[in-house]
Amino acid sequence: MGWPTNYAGWIERVKTWLDVADLDDDVFGNCLDGATERLNRDLNSQWMEDSFEFTVIDASGPVDLVGEIPDYNRMRLVTIQGAKPLTAVALNEYKLEKITNTSTTPRVYCVNKMELLIWPLPAVDDIIEIDYYVKVPALSDDKDSNVFSLRHPDAFLYAALLEATPFILEDERLPTWTTFYNNIRDAINVTADRATKGSTPLKREIKVG
């Protein structure tokens, strides 16, 4: 049996697997919506990768990620064009850099409140290369497929089944579905991580002063 090729087919597949009486199709649609949200949080799939170039106009202002990149989900990498990638830091580390780092070469970045902060500040007309994971849209009557249904249908199915947990709390299948989902998720992320980083671990180094 092949994977469904449209929204109605996915509704029917989840309904068949759950095999729970007296549930409306809206419930199965909500399970698919929840599965999309879960996978958007959990997966670092190569099929979710995209990039965006932002030209600096106001060097002192942050980059509004959602405003500039409507399908922005999570950050992968930030680079000032022509320089090496910046180092991702937590907000407290970023604030410390602002106090202690007086150089003029951008070195670190932080994402806070869906805004990209860089320090030291980039120059006007610098091009910031933003590599990110897209937010994959949910299936609907007007959208029969997405990255998850096409590239990771097994993860999509088990994620949808787990979203039905409130309706099947005592179902003995839940632990098995959870294990299958976790294993598939981890395999996808490990594969993507190896493709991005290669076999040599990246070393993160921040020098203060």
Side-chain angles (χ1 to χ4, degrees):
M1 181 186 297
W3 293 107
T5 58
N6 55 41
Y7 182 53
W10 275 103
I11 292 283
E12 192 61 33
R13 180 63 57 88
V14 173
K15 181 189 300 186
T16 299
W17 273 64
L18 287 175
D19 191 24
V20 178
D22 302 324
L23 288 182
D24 294 333
D25 282 358
D26 286 348
V27 172
F28 305 113
N30 290 337
C31 290
L32 291 173
D33 291 347
T36 300
E37 289 299 319
R38 181 188 292 254
L39 294 174
N40 271 318
R41 292 191 305 269
D42 288 358
L43 291 193
N44 298 329
S45 168
Q46 292 172 278
W47 297 104
M48 298 167 67
E49 296 173 1
D50 207 343
S51 59
F52 177 82
E53 291 187 350
F54 178 84
T55 301
V56 177
I57 298 174
D58 177 8
S60 64
V63 179
D64 177 1
L65 293 170
V66 175
E68 295 291 340
I69 313 173
D71 64 350
Y72 175 83
N73 182 3
R74 287 175 281 115
M75 191 67 75
R76 294 182 57 237
L77 191 68
V78 177
T79 309
I80 303 296
Q81 194 170 84
K84 65 181 182 180
L86 305 181
T87 299
V89 297
L91 182 60
N92 63 312
E93 295 174 302
Y94 174 82
K95 291 180 177 180
L96 181 60
E97 280 279 308
K98 289 189 68 173
I99 296 171
T100 58
N101 186 349
T102 58
S103 70
T104 58
T105 301
R107 188 171 62 179
V108 303
Y109 78 88
C110 173
V111 175
N112 182 50
K113 297 179 180 178
M114 301 304 282
E115 293 182 332
L116 173 62
L117 310 173
I118 295 175
W119 191 263
L121 294 172
V124 172
D125 293 332
D126 273 354
I127 296 177
I128 303 173
E129 299 175 350
I130 300 172
D131 294 289
Y132 66 101
Y133 294 106
V134 303
K135 185 174 180 61
V136 176
L139 301 187
S140 67
D141 290 329
D142 299 319
K143 187 173 182 60
D144 281 326
S145 64
N146 61 19
V147 165
F148 302 142
S149 69
L150 294 174
R151 302 298 181 180
H152 305 301
D154 47 357
F156 190 44
L157 174 60
Y158 286 114
L161 297 176
L162 293 180
E163 290 298 316
T165 297
F167 303 99
I168 52 172
L169 287 175
E170 304 300 325
D171 198 307
E172 62 184 13
R173 298 172 295 176
L174 277 173
T176 299
W177 291 344
T178 299
T179 298
F180 284 170
Y181 173 78
N182 290 341
N183 289 343
I184 295 167
R185 175 203 61 200
D186 292 348
I188 292 169
N189 289 344
V190 166
T191 298
D193 192 57
R194 286 176 178 168
T196 300
K197 298 179 181 178
S199 58
T200 304
L202 295 178
K203 293 184 178 180
R204 179 171 176 270
E205 179 180 3
I206 301 176
K207 296 180 180 179
V208 178

